[in-house]
Amino acid sequence: MTSDGPRFDTRLDRFVDNYANRTRGMRVSAVRALFAVANRPEIVSLAGGMPNIKDLPLPDIADDLAQLVRDNGTQIMQYGSGQGEPRIREQILDVMALEGIEANADDVLITAGSQQALDLVSRIFLDPGDVVLAESPSYVGALGTFLSYEADVVHVPSDESGLDPQALHETATRLEADDRRIKFLYTIPNYNNPSGLTQPWERRIEVLRVCEQHGILVVEDNPYGLLSLDAEPIPAMRSAGADVIYLGSFSKTFAPGFRVGWALAPHAIREKLVLAQESATLCPPVFSQFAISNYLDKQDWKGQIGVYRDMYRERRDAMLAALEDFMPPGSTWTHPKGGFFVWVSMPEGVDSQSMMARGVDARVAFVPGGAFYADGQGARNVRLSYCFPTVENIRIGVERFADVLEGELDVLRTFGVHSPTPHPGRVAGPGPDLS
Amino acid sequence: MTSDGPRFDTRLDRFVDNYANRTRGMRVSAVRALFAVANRPEIVSLAGGMPNIKDLPLPDIADDLAQLVRDNGTQIMQYGSGQGEPRIREQILDVMALEGIEANADDVLITAGSQQALDLVSRIFLDPGDVVLAESPSYVGALGTFLSYEADVVHVPSDESGLDPQALHETATRLEADDRRIKFLYTIPNYNNPSGLTQPWERRIEVLRVCEQHGILVVEDNPYGLLSLDAEPIPAMRSAGADVIYLGSFSKTFAPGFRVGWALAPHAIREKLVLAQESATLCPPVFSQFAISNYLDKQDWKGQIGVYRDMYRERRDAMLAALEDFMPPGSTWTHPKGGFFVWVSMPEGVDSQSMMARGVDARVAFVPGGAFYADGQGARNVRLSYCFPTVENIRIGVERFADVLEGELDVLRTFGVHSPTPHPGRVAGPGPDLS
């Protein structure tokens, strides 16, 4: 080892042998590296999961916040409750009531965004080698967190109605026969990230029944539930089952920058979550909680969700129309009834990971499907998001994406179909751009 | 098991066998339970670690924030960088320069309060059974976090100049001989929480030298560094050593409710910390970061630290004067040069844990010393804080505390000195009130 002096010493990792085992599950993914490139302005990004908050009433929010600081500054800038402030926990009951949930504010824990709820649930349940069941495909950020706790993610197949209860039963039975410890099922029943699929009500009941039969706790992640684009929201799984940890968020129905999400959990689990929260941060962001509480009191938050719905509906329709117009034959895609994402399945032999670099050349970005699996599936898939770009750019982006796929298919026709190499270990910390 | 229906089902912990091993280290401490009682208005609390932010210029902060929301609302309410926003990381260099640190903004990670930095450092370094070295006594919230990662905390003796380098060398040598893996030394060189002790510059250099000799990483926790009450701050350990993770916070120099702290780490470690942060929260609180950034730009933040210093100096002086006036003979206490806390050592045989209930009866709250050890020490100690109560209440509180101690000493004189039972396992999630 050479040293150029103390400043440069730090570039060498003298502590490389000291890291905890769990850091092996923390890697910068190839996807992330390419994302940095894809952030250039000439590129149409169908990759990000950022909500489009351009229509928020900023002047009103500014005035409300200033008043709040003048009147209650020493309270909202002080340390707060480890569980979260009582008032916002009450207000969250009103939000969840829109999806049929009846609950007690004492069973709600506030988290630094819904991602932190995933982290704290993982923290209290997952030992190395434990199994987490997840949909096929599932949210990259959740998979990364489960892997960072050295858990094994086992994917359960989905059909057009989302998670398949029969496949869930078979998977659980097989794992039990192998003496594996299944700690919970992680599921996104509404407008799944990345698939865009929604579980109908009957399906939710079937999934709950299978979980009850196997004694499996359900973690229901629902960031997009109120962003239904065609009909009223389907009641949450939590409305029909007690053994459910329900995760909610203000990131998509208001704004993500405050980092306020929540977990509604059975009482004993909630107690452990509060201890975990105190160890992790002492208390979730206090100022943020009061800011959102104030927004819910002062502004027409339900009306704002309506504004968001109208905007996202127009964008979803633009993406589906463009896919219909431009995609070469042999591909299929989901028709989401809400949320942010369309999941595209391309012909056998296509490798979406290698397409990504060509996409950047063609000035379009998307997320290769492999990111949403812990086991190397997804090579034939991509996730396209319509939440952030304009209607015009969505159309341009889809056309560019279709061109890239055409080129890929040309290559395949010339050189023959090949079985793509799986890319295990591509899952990593999701980064805000993949949320 | 009986059930009164689905609502009450959740009160039974059906998943009691499912929790991760690490939850065994997460317990509600006896101290916490008593704290809830101690929050009554008639009680003078010398227990909390809440900064007193009454003198912040709230109207100016309110106006600044409103302008920021109007001008940049869609940026500051959006997802942000997993590492933290670039501008505030630059500004933090100016803050750290006040303690002699030269660094690169790329080596700074923003965290949801300094507590989250402790959590993320633990996450990337600690496997079950690893050793963390810590001062005697040390911050309850850090100890709780280390234990929640199933690490063993080994205390290193302190003298009146803080951590004892010779004892550190001997402890490390003994642990190495036992093949234990020491992952880092956790130290609070300035105005230690709870001891109030400060390591002189020469002492810091000695500690660094011992750590270098043994290949031990140093985690330097410095929330109170700029709140020096008698002289200018002593340069940070990080200013003299590269193998240091430095933890800073705006909680005490501005306000804790934004939950913004930071870690300055050697580059390779910083990379792992960012991945851990993304897995934990996607990104630290974005709105909070911009709010603080704006405060640093628009307001006289150094002047505000001066205001805080003057206020805390007056309170510290009041506490030391009251201790001098009221404490029975046989006790000693530290004379802090900054920060929030005085550490009291009482005569042999006193049990500070059992004194706490009597303290509540006498309308005074304090923290028993056992909370600040992972190994059952501290029965003869209490931490008294002067940060939050008024000068008048500090005097009243110390008088009441001295009365409680008198009563305890009377009992001891009557029934004879007994060796107090140690209280292992009292350390738990600290809760905001203990920070």
Side-chain angles (χ1 to χ4, degrees):
Chain A
M1 292 208 305
T2 59
S3 166
D4 296 299
R7 289 295 295 280
F8 296 94
D9 246 9
T10 63
R11 299 278 149 170
L12 302 169
D13 192 359
R14 297 173 25 120
F15 296 93
V16 67
D17 295 328
N18 280 32
Y19 295 115
N21 289 332
R22 68 178 69 81
T23 61
R24 290 182 207 149
M26 302 177 187
R27 272 191 295 269
V28 180
S29 68
V31 176
R32 290 284 303 289
L34 219 45
F35 254 70
V37 182
N39 248 347
R40 301 201 308 259
E42 71 273 21
I43 289 183
V44 172
S45 177
L46 306 176
M50 291 201 304
N52 197 322
I53 58 173
K54 68 180 175 54
D55 294 324
L56 281 174
L58 293 182
D60 294 342
I61 293 171
D63 292 343
D64 290 349
L65 264 178
Q67 195 62 43
L68 182 67
V69 169
R70 276 188 215 101
D71 295 345
N72 300 99
T74 54
Q75 181 186 11
I76 69 181
M77 295 189 202
Q78 188 53 272
Y79 287 112
S81 155
Q83 181 175 359
E85 299 307 309
R87 173 89 181 109
I88 195 171
R89 288 190 282 108
E90 290 285 347
Q91 292 168 307
I92 282 169
L93 300 185
D94 297 337
V95 177
M96 294 192 294
L98 298 177
E99 298 184 80
I101 294 175
E102 288 179 44
N104 189 316
D106 190 43
D107 293 338
V108 175
L109 169 82
I110 305 295
T111 55
S114 192
Q115 183 73 27
Q116 202 210 7
L118 287 170
D119 184 64
L120 297 180
V121 168
S122 299
R123 181 184 301 224
I124 68 166
F125 280 110
L126 298 180
D127 284 314
D130 284 346
V131 172
V132 175
L133 299 175
E135 277 142 340
S136 304
S138 186
Y139 169 48
V140 56
L143 301 181
T145 298
F146 303 150
L147 295 180
S148 81
Y149 282 89
E150 302 172 78
D152 291 334
V153 174
V154 176
H155 288 284
V156 178
S158 304
D159 60 21
E160 68 282 355
S161 298
L163 187 71
D164 180 345
Q166 180 57 30
L168 175 63
H169 171 64
E170 287 162 12
T171 304
T173 304
R174 175 170 54 78
L175 289 163
E176 285 156 10
D178 290 347
D179 264 342
R180 301 298 302 275
R181 297 198 304 171
I182 304 171
K183 286 298 179 73
F184 53 81
L185 164 70
Y186 172 72
T187 180
I188 310 167
N190 287 318
Y191 330 126
N192 178 287
N193 177 0
S195 75
L197 294 174
T198 298
Q199 296 171 23
W201 175 245
E202 299 70 27
R203 176 61 64 96
R204 297 177 191 207
I205 299 296
E206 287 176 65
V207 169
L208 282 172
R209 194 184 46 74
V210 172
C211 285
E212 193 180 356
Q213 180 188 342
H214 290 271
I216 298 172
L217 181 68
V218 176
V219 177
E220 176 182 24
D221 193 5
N222 191 35
Y224 310 102
L226 295 177
L227 298 178
S228 51
L229 305 182
D230 297 326
E232 285 308 294
I234 297 170
M237 294 176 82
R238 171 59 177 73
S239 71
D243 290 343
V244 174
I245 300 177
Y246 172 96
L247 309 185
S249 173
F250 289 105
S251 291
K252 276 78 179 185
T253 55
F254 175 38
F258 293 101
R259 310 308 297 124
V260 175
W262 70 89
L264 169 67
H267 195 76
I269 295 174
R270 194 281 290 156
E271 286 181 349
K272 289 217 161 30
L273 288 173
V274 172
L275 292 176
Q277 174 66 286
E278 289 174 350
S279 179
T281 68
L282 291 183
C283 57
V286 183
F287 190 94
S288 291
Q289 292 176 70
F290 279 101
I292 290 184
S293 207
N294 199 48
Y295 168 78
L296 296 173
D297 274 341
K298 298 275 172 65
Q299 299 295 325
D300 176 17
W301 62 273
K302 290 184 192 172
Q304 181 62 40
I305 291 175
V307 170
Y308 281 145
R309 280 181 183 167
D310 292 344
M311 176 189 61
Y312 292 130
R313 184 183 306 111
E314 190 187 6
R315 283 156 203 243
R316 185 229 17 214
D317 292 347
M319 177 165 279
L320 292 177
L323 285 163
E324 201 64 56
D325 290 347
F326 297 123
M327 284 289 277
S331 294
T332 58
W333 50 90
T334 56
H335 291 69
K337 296 193 174 98
F340 288 3
F341 306 111
V342 170
W343 182 248
V344 178
S345 299
M346 300 176 290
E348 185 70 40
V350 170
D351 180 5
S352 58
Q353 175 87 3
S354 68
M355 274 176 69
M356 198 171 165
R358 278 171 228 148
V360 171
D361 286 344
R363 291 169 298 145
V364 60
F366 47 85
V367 185
F372 304 97
Y373 289 94
D375 62 2
Q377 297 182 70
R380 284 170 52 199
N381 301 103
V382 300
R383 186 190 80 175
L384 301 182
S385 63
Y386 52 79
C387 46
F388 203 78
T390 61
V391 162
E392 295 69 32
N393 275 337
I394 287 170
R395 192 163 177 87
I396 292 168
V398 169
E399 184 169 15
R400 289 176 184 170
F401 170 72
D403 283 348
V404 172
L405 176 57
E406 282 280 18
E408 187 81 2
L409 293 173
D410 270 351
V411 172
L412 281 176
R413 276 188 291 267
T414 307
F415 297 103
V417 175
H418 68 272
S419 196
T421 321
H423 299 267
R426 275 180 303 186
V427 172
D433 36 16
L434 279 171
S435 62
Chain B
M1 291 206 307
T2 59
S3 165
D4 297 299
R7 289 294 296 281
F8 296 92
D9 244 12
T10 62
R11 299 278 148 169
L12 302 169
D13 193 0
R14 299 173 24 120
F15 296 95
V16 67
D17 295 329
N18 279 32
Y19 295 114
N21 289 333
R22 69 178 68 81
T23 60
R24 289 181 208 150
M26 301 178 188
R27 270 189 299 267
V28 180
S29 67
V31 177
R32 288 286 302 290
L34 219 43
F35 253 69
V37 182
N39 248 346
R40 300 200 309 259
E42 70 274 21
I43 289 185
V44 171
S45 178
L46 306 177
M50 292 202 304
N52 196 324
I53 59 174
K54 68 179 175 57
D55 294 324
L56 282 174
L58 292 182
D60 293 343
I61 293 171
D63 291 344
D64 290 350
L65 264 179
Q67 194 63 42
L68 183 67
V69 169
R70 277 187 213 101
D71 295 346
N72 300 99
T74 56
Q75 181 187 10
I76 69 180
M77 294 189 204
Q78 189 51 272
Y79 287 112
S81 156
Q83 181 175 358
E85 300 307 310
R87 172 88 181 111
I88 194 170
R89 288 191 283 108
E90 290 286 346
Q91 291 167 308
I92 282 169
L93 300 185
D94 297 335
V95 177
M96 294 192 295
L98 298 178
E99 296 183 83
I101 294 176
E102 288 180 45
N104 189 317
D106 189 43
D107 294 338
V108 175
L109 169 81
I110 305 295
T111 55
S114 193
Q115 182 73 25
Q116 202 210 8
L118 288 170
D119 184 64
L120 298 179
V121 167
S122 299
R123 182 182 303 224
I124 69 167
F125 280 110
L126 298 181
D127 284 313
D130 283 348
V131 172
V132 175
L133 299 175
E135 276 142 342
S136 305
S138 186
Y139 169 50
V140 56
L143 301 181
T145 297
F146 304 149
L147 295 182
S148 81
Y149 282 89
E150 301 171 76
D152 291 334
V153 174
V154 176
H155 288 283
V156 179
S158 303
D159 60 22
E160 68 284 354
S161 297
L163 188 70
D164 179 345
Q166 180 59 29
L168 175 64
H169 171 64
E170 288 162 12
T171 305
T173 303
R174 176 170 53 77
L175 289 163
E176 285 155 8
D178 290 346
D179 264 341
R180 300 298 302 273
R181 296 197 304 170
I182 303 170
K183 286 299 178 73
F184 52 81
L185 166 70
Y186 171 71
T187 180
I188 309 168
N190 288 317
Y191 330 126
N192 178 288
N193 177 359
S195 76
L197 293 173
T198 298
Q199 295 171 25
W201 175 246
E202 300 69 26
R203 176 61 65 97
R204 297 176 192 210
I205 299 296
E206 288 176 66
V207 170
L208 282 172
R209 195 185 46 72
V210 173
C211 286
E212 193 179 1
Q213 179 188 343
H214 290 272
I216 297 172
L217 180 68
V218 176
V219 177
E220 175 183 25
D221 193 5
N222 191 35
Y224 311 101
L226 294 177
L227 297 180
S228 52
L229 304 182
D230 296 326
E232 284 308 295
I234 297 169
M237 294 175 82
R238 172 57 178 75
S239 72
D243 291 342
V244 174
I245 300 177
Y246 172 95
L247 309 185
S249 173
F250 289 106
S251 291
K252 276 79 181 184
T253 54
F254 175 36
F258 294 102
R259 309 309 296 124
V260 176
W262 68 89
L264 169 68
H267 195 76
I269 294 174
R270 194 280 290 157
E271 286 182 349
K272 291 218 160 28
L273 288 174
V274 172
L275 292 177
Q277 175 65 286
E278 290 174 349
S279 181
T281 68
L282 292 182
C283 56
V286 182
F287 189 93
S288 291
Q289 292 175 69
F290 279 101
I292 290 183
S293 207
N294 198 51
Y295 169 78
L296 296 173
D297 274 341
K298 298 275 172 64
Q299 298 296 325
D300 177 17
W301 63 273
K302 290 183 193 172
Q304 180 61 41
I305 291 174
V307 170
Y308 282 145
R309 281 181 181 166
D310 291 343
M311 175 188 59
Y312 292 129
R313 184 183 307 111
E314 192 187 4
R315 284 157 202 244
R316 186 233 12 216
D317 291 347
M319 177 165 278
L320 291 177
L323 284 163
E324 202 64 57
D325 290 346
F326 298 122
M327 283 290 278
S331 294
T332 58
W333 51 89
T334 57
H335 292 69
K337 299 194 172 99
F340 288 1
F341 307 111
V342 170
W343 182 246
V344 178
S345 300
M346 299 176 291
E348 184 72 39
V350 170
D351 181 5
S352 57
Q353 175 86 3
S354 67
M355 274 176 70
M356 198 171 166
R358 279 172 227 148
V360 171
D361 285 343
R363 291 169 298 143
V364 60
F366 49 84
V367 185
F372 304 97
Y373 290 94
D375 60 4
Q377 296 182 70
R380 284 172 51 199
N381 302 103
V382 300
R383 185 190 81 176
L384 301 182
S385 62
Y386 51 79
C387 45
F388 203 78
T390 60
V391 162
E392 294 71 30
N393 276 336
I394 287 171
R395 190 161 178 89
I396 293 168
V398 169
E399 184 169 17
R400 290 176 183 171
F401 171 72
D403 283 348
V404 172
L405 176 58
E406 283 281 17
E408 186 80 4
L409 293 173
D410 270 351
V411 172
L412 281 176
R413 276 188 290 267
T414 308
F415 296 102
V417 174
H418 69 271
S419 196
T421 320
H423 299 266
R426 276 180 302 186
V427 172
D433 36 16
L434 279 170
S435 62

